[in-house]
Amino acid sequence: MRILILGPQGSGKGTQAKRIAAQRSLPHVATGDNLRAAVADGSELGRRVQPILERGDLVPDDLMIDLIRDRLDREDAFVLDGFPRTLPQAEALDAMLAEIGKPLDAVLLLEVDDEVAVGRLEARAAEEGRTDDSPEVIANRLRLYHQLTEPVVERYRAKGMLLPVDGEGTMDEVAEEIAVALENVGVASR
Ligand code: ADP
Protein backbone atom coordinates (compact mmCIF):
# COMPACT_ATOMS: atom_id res chain seq x y z
CA MET A 1 0.00 0.00 0.00
CA ARG A 2 1.31 3.43 -0.95
CA ILE A 3 -0.06 6.42 0.94
CA LEU A 4 0.89 10.08 0.55
CA ILE A 5 0.10 12.46 3.40
CA LEU A 6 -0.12 16.22 2.80
CA GLY A 7 -0.82 19.10 5.17
CA PRO A 8 0.71 22.26 6.54
CA GLN A 9 3.35 22.44 9.23
CA GLY A 10 1.65 21.87 12.56
CA SER A 11 -1.16 19.79 11.05
CA GLY A 12 0.08 16.70 12.87
CA LYS A 13 1.13 15.13 9.60
CA GLY A 14 4.32 13.56 10.93
CA THR A 15 2.56 12.12 14.00
CA GLN A 16 -0.27 10.61 11.95
CA ALA A 17 2.12 9.35 9.26
CA LYS A 18 4.08 7.47 11.94
CA ARG A 19 0.88 5.94 13.33
CA ILE A 20 -0.36 4.79 9.93
CA ALA A 21 3.07 3.34 9.16
CA ALA A 22 3.28 1.50 12.50
CA GLN A 23 -0.28 0.11 12.28
CA ARG A 24 0.22 -1.20 8.79
CA SER A 25 3.90 -2.15 9.05
CA LEU A 26 4.87 0.29 6.31
CA PRO A 27 8.09 2.27 6.10
CA HIS A 28 7.58 5.95 7.03
CA VAL A 29 9.46 7.93 4.40
CA ALA A 30 9.81 11.41 5.91
CA THR A 31 12.03 13.80 3.98
CA GLY A 32 12.34 16.26 6.87
CA ASP A 33 13.56 13.49 9.21
CA ASN A 34 16.01 12.29 6.56
CA LEU A 35 17.39 15.78 6.04
CA ARG A 36 17.74 16.41 9.79
CA ALA A 37 19.56 13.07 10.13
CA ALA A 38 21.95 14.13 7.36
CA VAL A 39 22.60 17.41 9.21
CA ALA A 40 23.23 15.52 12.47
CA ASP A 41 25.66 13.18 10.66
CA GLY A 42 27.57 16.09 9.18
CA SER A 43 27.47 14.42 5.75
CA GLU A 44 28.05 16.40 2.58
CA LEU A 45 24.28 16.48 2.01
CA GLY A 46 23.79 17.63 5.60
CA ARG A 47 26.26 20.49 5.27
CA ARG A 48 24.56 21.60 2.09
CA VAL A 49 21.01 21.60 3.46
CA GLN A 50 21.65 22.84 7.02
CA PRO A 51 21.39 26.58 6.25
CA ILE A 52 18.27 25.95 4.12
CA LEU A 53 16.52 24.10 6.95
CA GLU A 54 17.50 26.79 9.45
CA ARG A 55 15.82 29.47 7.33
CA GLY A 56 12.76 27.31 6.72
CA ASP A 57 13.36 27.50 2.99
CA LEU A 58 12.92 24.60 0.61
CA VAL A 59 15.74 22.34 -0.51
CA PRO A 60 16.12 22.56 -4.33
CA ASP A 61 13.74 20.32 -6.29
CA ASP A 62 16.46 18.44 -8.22
CA LEU A 63 18.21 17.40 -5.01
CA MET A 64 14.95 16.29 -3.36
CA ILE A 65 13.83 14.40 -6.45
CA ASP A 66 17.12 12.45 -6.62
CA LEU A 67 16.90 11.59 -2.92
CA ILE A 68 13.33 10.36 -3.11
CA ARG A 69 13.87 8.41 -6.33
CA ASP A 70 16.66 6.39 -4.69
CA ARG A 71 14.47 5.64 -1.72
CA LEU A 72 11.21 4.78 -3.50
CA ASP A 73 13.03 2.52 -5.94
CA ARG A 74 13.76 0.30 -2.95
CA GLU A 75 10.26 0.33 -1.36
CA ASP A 76 7.13 -1.43 -2.61
CA ALA A 77 4.90 0.20 -0.04
CA PHE A 78 5.29 3.32 2.10
CA VAL A 79 3.76 6.28 3.87
CA LEU A 80 5.30 9.31 2.19
CA ASP A 81 5.52 12.45 4.35
CA GLY A 82 7.15 15.75 3.36
CA PHE A 83 7.39 15.13 -0.37
CA PRO A 84 6.17 16.46 -2.80
CA ARG A 85 6.18 20.07 -1.63
CA THR A 86 6.19 21.76 -5.05
CA LEU A 87 4.49 21.09 -8.38
CA PRO A 88 7.75 20.01 -10.08
CA GLN A 89 8.29 17.51 -7.23
CA ALA A 90 4.72 16.21 -7.65
CA GLU A 91 5.17 15.80 -11.40
CA ALA A 92 8.44 13.96 -10.82
CA LEU A 93 6.84 11.71 -8.20
CA ASP A 94 3.90 10.78 -10.41
CA ALA A 95 6.25 10.08 -13.33
CA MET A 96 8.65 7.93 -11.31
CA LEU A 97 5.84 5.91 -9.68
CA ALA A 98 4.22 5.34 -13.08
CA GLU A 99 7.57 4.24 -14.50
CA ILE A 100 8.14 1.64 -11.79
CA GLY A 101 4.46 0.59 -11.75
CA LYS A 102 3.82 1.64 -8.14
CA PRO A 103 0.95 4.17 -8.20
CA LEU A 104 -0.33 5.84 -5.02
CA ASP A 105 -3.37 4.21 -3.38
CA ALA A 106 -4.44 7.28 -1.43
CA VAL A 107 -3.53 10.93 -0.86
CA LEU A 108 -4.54 12.25 2.57
CA LEU A 109 -4.77 15.95 3.38
CA LEU A 110 -4.75 17.08 7.01
CA GLU A 111 -6.57 20.40 7.18
CA VAL A 112 -5.91 22.93 9.95
CA ASP A 113 -6.16 26.71 10.11
CA ASP A 114 -2.96 28.72 10.24
CA GLU A 115 -3.70 29.91 13.78
CA VAL A 116 -4.01 26.36 15.07
CA ALA A 117 -0.87 25.37 13.16
CA VAL A 118 1.17 28.25 14.57
CA GLY A 119 -0.02 27.51 18.12
CA ARG A 120 1.04 23.87 17.83
CA LEU A 121 4.40 24.75 16.30
CA GLU A 122 5.17 27.24 19.04
CA ALA A 123 4.30 24.63 21.66
CA ARG A 124 6.59 22.13 19.92
CA ALA A 125 9.37 24.73 19.79
CA ALA A 126 9.18 25.02 23.56
CA GLU A 127 9.31 21.22 24.00
CA GLU A 128 11.74 20.03 21.38
CA GLY A 129 13.78 23.07 20.49
CA ARG A 130 13.77 22.44 16.75
CA THR A 131 15.90 25.16 15.22
CA ASP A 132 13.31 25.85 12.52
CA ASP A 133 10.52 26.55 15.03
CA SER A 134 11.28 30.22 15.75
CA PRO A 135 8.34 32.57 14.95
CA GLU A 136 10.00 34.06 11.84
CA VAL A 137 10.99 30.69 10.45
CA ILE A 138 7.53 29.22 11.18
CA ALA A 139 5.95 32.11 9.25
CA ASN A 140 8.31 31.46 6.32
CA ARG A 141 7.51 27.73 6.25
CA LEU A 142 3.74 28.37 6.30
CA ARG A 143 4.08 31.03 3.60
CA LEU A 144 5.94 28.59 1.37
CA TYR A 145 3.30 25.94 2.10
CA HIS A 146 0.50 28.20 0.85
CA GLN A 147 2.48 29.41 -2.14
CA LEU A 148 4.17 26.20 -3.34
CA THR A 149 2.54 23.18 -1.69
CA GLU A 150 -1.15 24.12 -2.00
CA PRO A 151 -0.88 23.73 -5.79
CA VAL A 152 0.23 20.15 -5.10
CA VAL A 153 -2.93 19.63 -3.02
CA GLU A 154 -5.01 21.00 -5.91
CA ARG A 155 -3.24 18.70 -8.36
CA TYR A 156 -4.31 15.59 -6.42
CA ARG A 157 -7.79 17.03 -5.81
CA ALA A 158 -8.20 17.53 -9.57
CA LYS A 159 -7.14 13.93 -10.15
CA GLY A 160 -9.89 12.84 -7.73
CA MET A 161 -7.33 11.28 -5.40
CA LEU A 162 -7.53 13.64 -2.42
CA LEU A 163 -8.97 12.51 0.92
CA PRO A 164 -9.37 15.62 3.12
CA VAL A 165 -9.43 15.03 6.87
CA ASP A 166 -10.11 17.54 9.66
CA GLY A 167 -6.78 17.84 11.48
CA GLU A 168 -8.00 19.98 14.37
CA GLY A 169 -9.25 17.21 16.66
CA THR A 170 -7.22 15.20 19.14
CA MET A 171 -4.56 12.81 17.84
CA ASP A 172 -6.96 9.86 18.33
CA GLU A 173 -9.88 11.62 16.63
CA VAL A 174 -7.76 12.49 13.62
CA ALA A 175 -6.38 8.93 13.45
CA GLU A 176 -9.96 7.60 13.46
CA GLU A 177 -11.00 9.96 10.64
CA ILE A 178 -8.00 8.85 8.62
CA ALA A 179 -8.90 5.18 9.13
CA VAL A 180 -12.47 5.88 7.93
CA ALA A 181 -11.26 7.86 4.91
CA LEU A 182 -8.90 5.04 3.90
CA GLU A 183 -11.59 2.38 4.36
CA ASN A 184 -13.96 4.41 2.18
CA VAL A 185 -11.56 4.14 -0.73
CA GLY A 186 -11.01 0.46 -0.12
CA VAL A 187 -7.65 0.69 1.63
CA ALA A 188 -8.19 -1.87 4.39
CA SER A 189 -6.93 -1.10 7.87
CA ARG A 190 -4.16 -3.70 7.77
P1 ADP B 1 7.63 20.81 8.41
O1 ADP B 1 6.60 20.15 7.54
O2 ADP B 1 7.17 21.01 9.79
O3 ADP B 1 8.25 22.04 7.80
P2 ADP B 1 9.57 18.70 7.78
O4 ADP B 1 10.23 17.90 8.84
O5 ADP B 1 8.66 17.98 6.84
O6 ADP B 1 8.84 19.83 8.60
O7 ADP B 1 10.67 19.47 6.90
C1 ADP B 1 11.68 20.24 7.49
C2 ADP B 1 12.45 21.02 6.43
O8 ADP B 1 13.09 20.10 5.52
C3 ADP B 1 11.62 21.93 5.53
O9 ADP B 1 11.37 23.18 6.13
C4 ADP B 1 12.54 22.04 4.30
O10 ADP B 1 13.59 22.94 4.52
C5 ADP B 1 13.12 20.64 4.20
N1 ADP B 1 12.34 19.75 3.30
C6 ADP B 1 11.71 18.61 3.68
N2 ADP B 1 11.09 18.04 2.63
C7 ADP B 1 11.34 18.84 1.57
C8 ADP B 1 10.95 18.82 0.20
N3 ADP B 1 10.17 17.83 -0.30
N4 ADP B 1 11.38 19.81 -0.60
C9 ADP B 1 12.15 20.79 -0.14
N5 ADP B 1 12.55 20.90 1.13
C10 ADP B 1 12.14 19.93 1.99
Side-chain angles (χ1 to χ4, degrees):
M1 179 189 325
R2 289 173 291 275
I3 298 172
L4 169 62
I5 184 160
L6 298 170
Q9 292 77 6
S11 62
K13 177 172 60 74
T15 306
Q16 296 296 339
K18 281 196 196 85
R19 279 175 83 136
I20 300 168
Q23 278 166 356
R24 296 161 189 253
S25 305
L26 298 170
H28 174 215
V29 178
T31 49
D33 290 350
N34 296 342
L35 294 171
R36 280 188 292 278
V39 171
D41 287 349
S43 66
E44 196 191 319
L45 170 69
R47 285 197 298 275
R48 187 166 163 199
V49 302
Q50 183 170 18
I52 302 175
L53 264 63
E54 281 175 359
R55 290 193 304 268
D57 286 337
L58 292 184
V59 173
D61 285 338
D62 52 353
L63 183 56
M64 290 309 305
I65 291 165
D66 284 349
L67 286 176
I68 214 77
R69 178 178 286 119
D70 276 355
R71 181 73 198 268
L72 296 188
D73 263 349
R74 287 182 277 126
E75 307 287 7
D76 275 330
F78 49 79
V79 179
L80 182 57
D81 165 11
F83 184 96
R85 263 182 157 85
T86 66
L87 269 185
Q89 291 182 13
E91 284 159 10
L93 176 70
D94 291 350
M96 76 178 86
L97 292 180
E99 198 182 300
I100 56 181
K102 299 178 188 172
L104 294 170
D105 295 297
V107 181
L108 291 162
L109 170 67
L110 287 194
E111 298 182 298
V112 299
D113 281 346
D114 273 9
E115 281 151 48
V116 173
V118 169
R120 289 179 177 178
L121 291 169
E122 286 176 354
R124 183 172 79 185
E127 280 164 28
E128 293 179 15
R130 245 175 74 167
T131 52
D132 59 352
D133 277 345
S134 73
E136 299 75 31
V137 174
I138 288 173
N140 190 38
R141 284 155 60 214
L142 279 172
R143 183 181 62 79
L144 291 174
Y145 178 82
H146 290 305
Q147 186 187 336
L148 298 174
T149 310
E150 267 171 6
V152 173
V153 170
E154 294 316 316
R155 173 186 175 87
Y156 290 109
R157 199 194 305 275
K159 285 174 179 267
M161 294 172 73
L162 197 71
L163 304 173
V165 167
D166 178 0
E168 294 193 359
T170 64
M171 271 198 298
D172 287 343
E173 286 165 353
V174 177
E176 180 54 28
E177 273 211 48
I178 288 175
V180 170
L182 290 175
E183 270 167 37
N184 285 343
V185 294
V187 179
S189 52
R190 240 157 267 278

